[in-house]
Amino acid sequence: MPLPFLTADPAFEANGDDLALPFDDHDQWRRPYRPGPWRVATAALALLVAAFMLLATMMIALAGDLRSAGVCAGAAAVVILAALRMLRAGTWVSRTGVRRVRFLRTVTLPWARVASLRTVQQPVRWLGLPRTVQGQALVLTRQGGGEPMALLTDHNADFLARVEAFDRAADGVEAWYAEYGTRA
């Protein structure tokens, strides 16, 4: 089963720095980087737990307790949906704007509402936990002020111990802003 949200576009991986916006269809939402090993490992572990939950569902159903089997199957479905949502989390770009997908919330901003996009040194959360460390973040500032939004950090589940990948992803998002943010 193909999971298009799991990988970056092959054209992006093949062309690298030669082409800033290597995609054919700029209207489709794309993540200009691959999900990191921490995110993929956590989702894989959740899917493994869901597989055991489905096995337990089958055993409970064969034992004759269909109501309990239904509850177990529902819980497994919730774990599977959570793993897929975890894989989908990240920063997505298109011709229309930038989208920050989190586990429970998604924020979409059109390029016209973006005042600036820059990489800064600041305290960032380590793997999304409350602990902060000094690191880099790609920060988006909205038109009319407001709280700056960190789109990417070098210590999140996608870029921990992958500095080159963070730099490449930040450059990719900035290239999309340079192409479509200045037109708005």
Side-chain angles (χ1 to χ4, degrees):
M1 175 170 84
L3 300 173
F5 55 85
L6 187 57
T7 61
D9 193 295
F12 180 77
E13 294 297 323
N15 292 326
D17 297 329
D18 298 336
L19 189 59
L21 305 178
F23 308 111
D24 294 332
D25 183 12
H26 290 198
D27 291 326
Q28 184 177 356
W29 289 99
R30 306 221 183 239
R31 178 173 33 202
Y33 59 90
R34 291 179 182 267
W38 287 92
R39 184 177 309 281
V40 173
T42 303
L45 185 62
L47 290 174
L48 181 66
V49 168
F52 282 114
M53 292 172 75
L54 290 173
L55 183 63
T57 299
M58 184 183 71
M59 288 182 198
I60 293 170
L62 291 176
D65 191 2
L66 295 180
R67 184 175 179 181
S68 296
V71 169
C72 194
V78 168
V79 171
I80 291 169
L81 291 174
L84 292 176
R85 182 65 180 184
M86 194 179 329
L87 286 173
R88 189 160 175 77
T91 300
W92 297 72
V93 291
S94 78
R95 180 188 320 260
T96 57
V98 61
R99 180 175 286 171
R100 174 73 173 125
V101 178
R102 291 194 168 172
F103 189 72
L104 296 176
R105 188 174 56 144
T106 299
V107 176
T108 303
L109 286 173
W111 291 119
R113 292 190 52 209
V114 176
S116 69
L117 194 63
R118 65 187 192 287
T119 304
V120 297
Q121 289 282 334
Q122 69 179 31
V124 295
R125 293 172 62 177
W126 184 76
L127 288 177
L129 299 172
R131 178 180 175 216
T132 60
V133 295
Q134 190 65 26
Q136 293 186 55
L138 180 65
V139 176
L140 178 143
T141 307
R142 301 174 195 193
Q143 293 281 350
E147 183 76 21
M149 180 173 33
L151 295 177
L152 307 170
T153 68
D154 63 347
H155 285 80
N156 69 5
D158 290 321
F159 302 111
L160 186 65
R162 298 176 56 216
V163 177
E164 298 85 15
F166 171 79
D167 292 338
R168 186 171 178 179
D171 291 343
V173 175
E174 288 171 349
W176 281 84
Y177 175 65
E179 178 72 22
Y180 295 112
T182 56
R183 291 182 185 180

